[in-house]
Amino acid sequence: MITMWKRTVELDLRGQVCPASLLLSLKKMNSLREDLSSGTVALRVLTENRESVPTISAAAASMGYAVTVAREDAHYALLVETAGAGKVR
Amino acid sequence: MTPTVEETGRLRRENLRLAEERAVFIRYIREKVNELLVLLRCPTMNADHLGDLELIGYDPIGTIGVSFSQVLDHLKETNEQLLREVSERTRAEASLLESEERLRDFIDNAVELILSVTADRRIEYANRAVLSTLGLAREEVEGQPLCSIVTPESKGECLKAIGRVMSGEKAVRIELELQGKRGSRVVAEGNATGRVENGRCLSARMILHDVTARKKYEEEMQKVEKLESIGVLAGGIAHDFNNLLTGILGNISIARIHASGAEDVQHTLSKAEKACLRARDLTRQLLVFSKGGAPVRKATSIADILKESAESTLRGSGVRCEFDLPDDLPSVDIDEGQIAQVMNNLIINADQAMPGGGTLRLSAGIVEVGQGGSLPLKPGRYVRVTVADTGIGIPKEALPRIFDPFYTTKEKGSGLGLTTAYSVVRQHEGMVTVDSEPGEGTTFSMYLPVAGNAPSRDTKPASDSGNRRVLVMDDEEMVRQVALQFLEHLGYTGTAVEAGEEAVAAYREAREGGRPFSAVIMDLTIPGRMGGKEAVRLLHDLDPGVRAIVSSGYSNDPVMSDPVRFGFRGVIAKPYRMRELREILEGVLSDGGSPARAKSA
C-alpha cells in the first residue's frame, strides 16, 4: 500500500458572487479531479458570499466529495476533499 | 474614400441586424447557463452581475459540462456501490434464512422435547416431538398455558423452575410430567434457559428428554428386586413347609390304615388329608408366584382341573358356569399345580369382569398346529382351553399390555396374575391368547401340548416288592419315618439315612454284602451336607444301573424338571402320599428306560 501525503490547494473567491464563484469552484474541482478523488489533494475555497456556500457545497457533494464548512473572520472556508478522507484510491 | 449615404445606411442596418443576432445568441446562452445553474441549485444570474464577456470568460457551459461528467461518474460509482450492497444483503439474507431453516429443521426433528414458554407461562413454541408425544396438534399446544400439558402433580415444581429461569438464573435443571390426549403421561427431564433482552427475561426455553421408559424400568427393577428377595424367602419356607406336610400327610395315611373300619375316624382323617393337600397346593402356588419354577410335568386330564378350579373360584359368585368338555379329550403334559394356578387366575379375572353376574363358558378341544401356522407354537397336537366371559371387556389400548408385569387396571391388582399365566404356559411350550370386545366380553385361549405316548405307570401291581430293598435319604426325621412306614406297608424293605455320605456308604455296603438296594429315594438338598445331586453321581460310579429317585419340596430346581440329565430315573415332589410313592417305585423298577414321575391325586 502506498501512502501519500495530502496537499491543500487554496481558491480565494473573496469579492466574487454566484454564479461566478460557483463556476470558478467547479472549474477548479474539474482541473483537480484526479488528485481530489485519489485524496492527494484537498481544495480549500474561501468566499465571503453567503449564498455561495450551500451552492458550492451541494455541487461538490453531487460530485462525490466531502465538504466541511468553517467560518473564519469575515469569510467562509469550504474544505472539499475525497469522501473517504485520507483514503488512497 | 467616404462611404456614400446609401452605403452608410446599409452598414448601419447591417450593424443593427448583427447586434440583434448577437443579443439572441447571448440570451440563448444565458438562458441555457441559467437552466444548468438551476440544475446545480445555484441562483441564476442576470446581466448586472456578470457582463457577457466576463460570463464567456468563465466558460460556463464547458465547466458545467465537465462537472456534470464528474456528477455522472459519482452517481455511477454510487449506483455500483449500492448494487454491491444490495446483492451482499440479499446473499446475507438468504444465508440467514437458510441457517434459520436449518436450525428450525434440527429443532423440529429432534427427538428431544423442545419447548419455549413466555413470561406469562404460555407455550410459544413446541417442536414436533412434543406434539407427537402428547398426541396433540400444534394449535392445541402453542398459545396455550404451559399448565395445560403438565400434570397437576408436577405443576408446582415445573413452575418453580421456570420462575428461577425468569429471575435470571442461567441453566436450571427441570423435571416434569407432561400429559397429552387420553391421559397419556410422559416423564421428561432436562435444562431450561432464558432468552434475555435488555436485561429482561422474555421467555424460557426447555430441552427435555423423555425418561418415562427409564423411570418405569427403574421402578420395575425395584419391584423385581423386592420380588426376588420374597422369592428366596418363599422358596425357603415352602421347602420346610413341604417337609412338614410330608410328615403330616404320611402319618394321616398310616393312621387311616390302622383305623380301617372305624367309619367316623376315617371321615375325620379324610378331611385332615384334604386340608393337607390344599396346604400343599398353597406352597406350590407360592413357588409359582415367587419364582415361576420349571414345571414338573406329567400327563394330566385338563377337564378335572377346569372343573375343580371353577368350582373353588366361583364359590359364592353370581356367575353361571357352563362347560363344554368332550369326553375323549386327551391328557396334556403339564404341571398340575401350575396350570391349576393359571386357571384360577383366568377364572378370577373373568368373575371380576362380571360384577353384575353373567356366564362363564369353559371349553376345551383339540387343535392341530402345522408348520408355519399363525401361532408361535411348535407343530403338533394341542388342547385349546378357552375361558370366555360376558363381562366388561378390555379396552383396545390396554390389550397389548395385559401380559406385562405389574400392569393392572384393578385398584388392588398385583399385575402378576396374567404375567404368571403367560410365563407358566410358555414354559409348558404352549401359549395364551386373548380376544376382547369392550362391553361384550373377553375370551382367553390357552394352548397346551397333548401328552406324548408315555407308558402307563399305574398298571403293574407290586408283585415281588417283598424282596426289594429301598434306601431313603432325607435330613428330616419325620419324612424318613413316614417313608419307612409307607415302604413297609407297600411291602418293601426300607432303610433310611440322613445325608449323601451315608447313603453312598450304605449303598456300597449293601452291594458288597450281596443285598443291594433296588431303588434309592434322595432329597435334593441337605443343608450343610451332601445332597442328592452329588450323591447320585457317586452312586453311578459304584453302580451305573442305580435306580435313583429325586425327592424335593423345591419344584423350581432344574433337577426336578429334567431328572435324567442329572442321573435320576424318577421324580417325586414332597409332600407325597403312599399311592404316589407306590407309583413311582413301580415305574422306576419296571423298566430301565424313560424317567418316571409320581402322579399326585
Side-chain angles (χ1 to χ4, degrees), chain B residues 469-485:
Chain B
R469 303 182 67 228
V470 176
L471 178 64
V472 176
M473 180 200 98
D474 203 298
D475 59 331
E476 276 292 321
E477 167 72 21
M478 195 152 38
V479 174
R480 291 198 302 273
Q481 292 280 323
V482 167
L484 288 179
Q485 289 192 45

Side-chain angles (χ1 to χ4, degrees), chain B residues 493-505:
Chain B
T493 308
T495 305
V497 293
E498 272 183 44
E501 297 88 343
E502 293 159 29
V504 175

Side-chain angles (χ1 to χ4, degrees), chain B residues 348-362:
Chain B
I348 288 168
N349 280 351
D351 184 36
Q352 288 174 347
M354 299 184 282
T359 306
L360 174 67
R361 202 174 155 75
L362 295 172

Side-chain angles (χ1 to χ4, degrees), chain B residues 135-355:
Chain B
L136 294 170
R138 192 166 285 284
E139 58 273 15
E140 289 175 289
V141 175
E142 288 179 356
Q144 300 299 315
L146 176 65
C147 292
S148 69
I149 59 161
V150 174
T151 59
E153 295 90 325
S154 71
K155 199 173 86 178
E157 279 299 311
C158 168
L159 290 179
K160 213 187 282 174
I162 289 174
R164 280 166 56 200
V165 174
M166 291 290 179
S167 62
E169 232 175 284
K170 284 281 177 276
V172 174
R173 190 96 197 124
I174 190 164
E175 186 179 329
L176 50 86
E177 194 181 24
L178 297 170
Q179 69 179 358
K181 243 180 192 167
R182 296 185 295 273
S184 64
R185 287 175 170 226
V186 172
V187 185
E189 63 179 36
N191 275 330
T193 50
R195 182 169 76 93
V196 180
E197 244 180 61
N198 304 324
R200 271 185 60 226
C201 184
L202 299 180
S203 60
R205 289 162 175 172
M206 292 177 260
I207 301 184
L208 309 165
H209 323 283
D210 181 349
V211 294
T212 316
R214 200 191 77 206
K215 289 267 169 197
K216 197 168 167 57
Y217 178 77
E218 284 169 4
E219 276 169 24
E220 286 187 359
M221 275 314 287
Q222 276 174 4
K223 280 188 198 165
V224 166
E225 279 165 19
K226 203 162 80 185
L227 251 128
E228 268 179 4
S229 56
I230 293 172
V232 171
L233 190 70
I237 292 170
H239 177 252
D240 289 344
F241 205 64
N242 278 340
N243 273 338
L244 294 174
L245 282 173
T246 308
I248 298 167
L249 209 52
N251 281 306
I252 290 170
S253 300
I254 290 156
R256 284 180 75 166
I257 293 159
H258 290 323
S260 58
E263 202 58 42
D264 48 348
V265 177
Q266 284 291 349
H267 185 66
T268 312
L269 287 174
S270 168
K271 279 211 276 195
E273 194 180 53
K274 265 191 189 149
C276 279
L277 291 174
R278 274 172 59 197
R280 181 180 72 174
D281 288 346
L282 197 69
T283 57
R284 282 186 185 164
Q285 279 179 31
L286 202 61
L287 282 167
V288 171
F289 259 121
S290 61
K291 280 280 186 179
V296 178
R297 295 160 69 174
K298 60 178 190 282
T300 312
S301 157
I302 191 74
D304 293 344
I305 296 179
L306 284 176
K307 283 181 196 151
E308 277 167 33
S309 189
E311 198 183 315
S312 62
T313 312
L314 297 176
R315 196 167 288 141
S317 153
V319 167
R320 204 162 62 87
C321 194
E322 285 177 5
F323 293 96
D324 177 12
L325 306 167
D327 289 336
D328 57 349
L329 208 58
S331 295
V332 280
D333 199 17
I334 57 167
D335 182 312
E336 192 183 329
Q338 290 190 3
I339 294 297
Q341 185 62 51
V342 171
M343 284 315 307
N344 285 348
N345 293 349
L346 294 180
I347 295 172
I348 288 168
N349 280 351
D351 184 36
Q352 288 174 347
M354 299 184 282

Side-chain angles (χ1 to χ4, degrees), chain B residues 21 104 122 145 181 197 233 305 357 387 391 401 434 449 534:
Chain B
E21 257 178 33
R104 205 201 336 260
R122 275 177 188 279
K181 243 180 192 167
E197 244 180 61
L233 190 70
I305 296 179
V387 180
R401 302 191 54 200
V434 64
E534 198 186 337

Side-chain angles (χ1 to χ4, degrees), chain A residues 16 18-20 22-24 26-27 29-30 33 51 55 61-65 89, chain B residues 37 40-43 45 57-60 63-64 66-67 69-71 73-74 77:
Chain A
Q16 301 264 26
C18 262
L22 173 68
L23 289 171
L24 289 169
L26 291 179
K27 208 168 194 170
M29 282 188 254
N30 290 344
R33 185 176 182 169
E51 232 173 12
T55 311
S62 300
M63 288 184 254
Y65 299 119
R89 290 209 274 194
Chain B
L37 287 171
L40 283 169
R41 275 168 280 173
C42 180
M45 55 187 169
Y58 286 130
D59 180 24
T63 301
I64 292 171
V66 175
S67 295
S69 89
Q70 275 212 70
V71 171
D73 280 357
H74 172 62
E77 206 172 285

